mmCIF file of all heavy atoms in Angstrom:
data_model
loop_
_atom_site.group_PDB
_atom_site.id
_atom_site.type_symbol
_atom_site.label_atom_id
_atom_site.label_comp_id
_atom_site.label_asym_id
_atom_site.label_seq_id
_atom_site.Cartn_x
_atom_site.Cartn_y
_atom_site.Cartn_z
ATOM 1 N N ILE A 87 26.168 -5.394 28.729
ATOM 2 C CA ILE A 87 26.432 -6.443 27.737
ATOM 3 C C ILE A 87 27.936 -6.575 27.489
ATOM 4 O O ILE A 87 28.466 -7.683 27.382
ATOM 5 C CB ILE A 87 25.661 -6.169 26.429
ATOM 6 C CG1 ILE A 87 24.156 -6.291 26.669
ATOM 7 C CG2 ILE A 87 26.104 -7.115 25.316
ATOM 8 C CD1 ILE A 87 23.309 -5.780 25.522
ATOM 9 N N ALA A 88 28.639 -5.442 27.416
ATOM 10 C CA ALA A 88 30.094 -5.483 27.235
ATOM 11 C C ALA A 88 30.762 -6.197 28.399
ATOM 12 O O ALA A 88 31.666 -7.018 28.199
ATOM 13 C CB ALA A 88 30.645 -4.061 27.093
ATOM 14 N N ALA A 89 30.313 -5.929 29.612
ATOM 15 C CA ALA A 89 30.891 -6.573 30.791
ATOM 16 C C ALA A 89 30.642 -8.082 30.773
ATOM 17 O O ALA A 89 31.547 -8.875 31.047
ATOM 18 C CB ALA A 89 30.312 -5.962 32.067
ATOM 19 N N ALA A 90 29.425 -8.476 30.419
ATOM 20 C CA ALA A 90 29.100 -9.909 30.352
ATOM 21 C C ALA A 90 29.927 -10.598 29.277
ATOM 22 O O ALA A 90 30.457 -11.699 29.480
ATOM 23 C CB ALA A 90 27.610 -10.091 30.089
ATOM 24 N N TYR A 91 30.066 -9.948 28.128
ATOM 25 C CA TYR A 91 30.853 -10.519 27.028
ATOM 26 C C TYR A 91 32.313 -10.674 27.436
ATOM 27 O O TYR A 91 32.940 -11.701 27.154
ATOM 28 C CB TYR A 91 30.721 -9.625 25.798
ATOM 29 C CG TYR A 91 31.147 -10.273 24.509
ATOM 30 C CD1 TYR A 91 30.224 -10.644 23.550
ATOM 31 C CD2 TYR A 91 32.483 -10.498 24.227
ATOM 32 C CE1 TYR A 91 30.610 -11.227 22.362
ATOM 33 C CE2 TYR A 91 32.886 -11.073 23.035
ATOM 34 C CZ TYR A 91 31.948 -11.433 22.101
ATOM 35 O OH TYR A 91 32.344 -12.010 20.933
ATOM 36 N N LEU A 92 32.848 -9.662 28.103
ATOM 37 C CA LEU A 92 34.238 -9.745 28.554
ATOM 38 C C LEU A 92 34.415 -10.852 29.597
ATOM 39 O O LEU A 92 35.440 -11.530 29.616
ATOM 40 C CB LEU A 92 34.709 -8.407 29.117
ATOM 41 C CG LEU A 92 35.004 -7.347 28.064
ATOM 42 C CD1 LEU A 92 35.202 -5.986 28.718
ATOM 43 C CD2 LEU A 92 36.219 -7.731 27.238
ATOM 44 N N GLY A 93 33.417 -11.018 30.454
ATOM 45 C CA GLY A 93 33.474 -12.108 31.417
ATOM 46 C C GLY A 93 33.505 -13.463 30.727
ATOM 47 O O GLY A 93 34.216 -14.379 31.156
ATOM 48 N N LEU A 94 32.762 -13.603 29.635
ATOM 49 C CA LEU A 94 32.760 -14.853 28.875
ATOM 50 C C LEU A 94 34.031 -15.034 28.052
ATOM 51 O O LEU A 94 34.396 -16.161 27.726
ATOM 52 C CB LEU A 94 31.547 -14.901 27.942
ATOM 53 C CG LEU A 94 30.208 -15.149 28.606
ATOM 54 C CD1 LEU A 94 29.082 -15.002 27.586
ATOM 55 C CD2 LEU A 94 30.173 -16.517 29.256
ATOM 56 N N SER A 95 34.685 -13.938 27.721
ATOM 57 C CA SER A 95 35.884 -14.054 26.888
ATOM 58 C C SER A 95 37.033 -14.758 27.621
ATOM 59 O O SER A 95 37.889 -15.355 26.978
ATOM 60 C CB SER A 95 36.342 -12.680 26.392
ATOM 61 O OG SER A 95 36.889 -11.912 27.434
ATOM 62 N N VAL A 96 37.018 -14.719 28.945
ATOM 63 C CA VAL A 96 38.097 -15.373 29.699
ATOM 64 C C VAL A 96 38.060 -16.891 29.505
ATOM 65 O O VAL A 96 39.053 -17.478 29.077
ATOM 66 C CB VAL A 96 38.060 -14.966 31.185
ATOM 67 C CG1 VAL A 96 39.087 -15.744 31.983
ATOM 68 C CG2 VAL A 96 38.288 -13.466 31.329
ATOM 69 N N PRO A 97 36.933 -17.574 29.768
ATOM 70 C CA PRO A 97 36.940 -19.024 29.538
ATOM 71 C C PRO A 97 36.951 -19.401 28.056
ATOM 72 O O PRO A 97 37.364 -20.509 27.705
ATOM 73 C CB PRO A 97 35.665 -19.518 30.221
ATOM 74 C CG PRO A 97 34.779 -18.338 30.315
ATOM 75 C CD PRO A 97 35.683 -17.144 30.408
ATOM 76 N N LEU A 98 36.511 -18.502 27.189
ATOM 77 C CA LEU A 98 36.478 -18.812 25.757
ATOM 78 C C LEU A 98 37.799 -18.522 25.048
ATOM 79 O O LEU A 98 37.973 -18.904 23.890
ATOM 80 C CB LEU A 98 35.358 -18.031 25.072
ATOM 81 C CG LEU A 98 33.942 -18.443 25.431
ATOM 82 C CD1 LEU A 98 32.934 -17.531 24.752
ATOM 83 C CD2 LEU A 98 33.694 -19.889 25.055
ATOM 84 N N CYS A 99 38.712 -17.854 25.723
ATOM 85 C CA CYS A 99 39.965 -17.458 25.084
ATOM 86 C C CYS A 99 40.733 -18.665 24.554
ATOM 87 O O CYS A 99 41.158 -18.667 23.394
ATOM 88 C CB CYS A 99 40.827 -16.660 26.064
ATOM 89 S SG CYS A 99 42.352 -16.036 25.328
ATOM 90 N N ARG A 100 40.892 -19.675 25.369
ATOM 91 C CA ARG A 100 41.681 -20.844 24.950
ATOM 92 C C ARG A 100 41.071 -21.559 23.740
ATOM 93 O O ARG A 100 41.765 -21.763 22.750
ATOM 94 C CB ARG A 100 41.862 -21.805 26.117
ATOM 95 C CG ARG A 100 42.689 -23.002 25.741
ATOM 96 C CD ARG A 100 42.853 -23.959 26.888
ATOM 97 N NE ARG A 100 43.696 -25.056 26.476
ATOM 98 C CZ ARG A 100 44.618 -25.600 27.212
ATOM 99 N NH1 ARG A 100 44.819 -25.168 28.432
ATOM 100 N NH2 ARG A 100 45.344 -26.589 26.759
ATOM 101 N N PRO A 101 39.784 -21.951 23.777
ATOM 102 C CA PRO A 101 39.253 -22.651 22.605
ATOM 103 C C PRO A 101 39.250 -21.795 21.334
ATOM 104 O O PRO A 101 39.530 -22.296 20.240
ATOM 105 C CB PRO A 101 37.840 -23.057 23.000
ATOM 106 C CG PRO A 101 37.539 -22.406 24.280
ATOM 107 C CD PRO A 101 38.821 -21.911 24.861
ATOM 108 N N ILE A 102 38.970 -20.521 21.478
ATOM 109 C CA ILE A 102 38.976 -19.653 20.296
ATOM 110 C C ILE A 102 40.390 -19.493 19.765
ATOM 111 O O ILE A 102 40.628 -19.583 18.560
ATOM 112 C CB ILE A 102 38.327 -18.287 20.622
ATOM 113 C CG1 ILE A 102 36.817 -18.469 20.777
ATOM 114 C CG2 ILE A 102 38.642 -17.255 19.548
ATOM 115 C CD1 ILE A 102 36.080 -17.243 21.231
ATOM 116 N N ALA A 103 41.347 -19.252 20.663
ATOM 117 C CA ALA A 103 42.738 -19.081 20.228
ATOM 118 C C ALA A 103 43.264 -20.354 19.572
ATOM 119 O O ALA A 103 43.928 -20.293 18.528
ATOM 120 C CB ALA A 103 43.612 -18.679 21.411
ATOM 121 N N GLU A 104 42.966 -21.497 20.159
ATOM 122 C CA GLU A 104 43.444 -22.756 19.564
ATOM 123 C C GLU A 104 42.824 -22.993 18.193
ATOM 124 O O GLU A 104 43.480 -23.488 17.286
ATOM 125 C CB GLU A 104 43.161 -23.920 20.510
ATOM 126 C CG GLU A 104 44.073 -23.907 21.729
ATOM 127 C CD GLU A 104 43.761 -24.994 22.732
ATOM 128 O OE1 GLU A 104 42.722 -25.686 22.592
ATOM 129 O OE2 GLU A 104 44.559 -25.153 23.676
ATOM 130 N N ARG A 105 41.574 -22.638 18.057
ATOM 131 C CA ARG A 105 40.922 -22.773 16.743
ATOM 132 C C ARG A 105 41.537 -21.812 15.722
ATOM 133 O O ARG A 105 41.743 -22.166 14.563
ATOM 134 C CB ARG A 105 39.427 -22.525 16.903
ATOM 135 C CG ARG A 105 38.619 -22.745 15.678
ATOM 136 C CD ARG A 105 38.598 -24.223 15.337
ATOM 137 N NE ARG A 105 38.041 -24.437 14.037
ATOM 138 C CZ ARG A 105 36.929 -25.097 13.817
ATOM 139 N NH1 ARG A 105 36.274 -25.629 14.810
ATOM 140 N NH2 ARG A 105 36.482 -25.233 12.597
ATOM 141 N N CYS A 106 41.841 -20.606 16.172
ATOM 142 C CA CYS A 106 42.434 -19.611 15.272
ATOM 143 C C CYS A 106 43.890 -19.922 14.949
ATOM 144 O O CYS A 106 44.419 -19.430 13.952
ATOM 145 C CB CYS A 106 42.308 -18.216 15.875
ATOM 146 S SG CYS A 106 40.607 -17.622 15.932
#
Side-chain angles (χ1 to χ4, degrees):
I87 293 169
Y91 196 108
L92 285 169
L94 286 173
S95 71
V96 175
L98 291 176
C99 184
R100 181 181 182 139
I102 288 174
E104 288 176 351
R105 185 69 191 244
C106 291

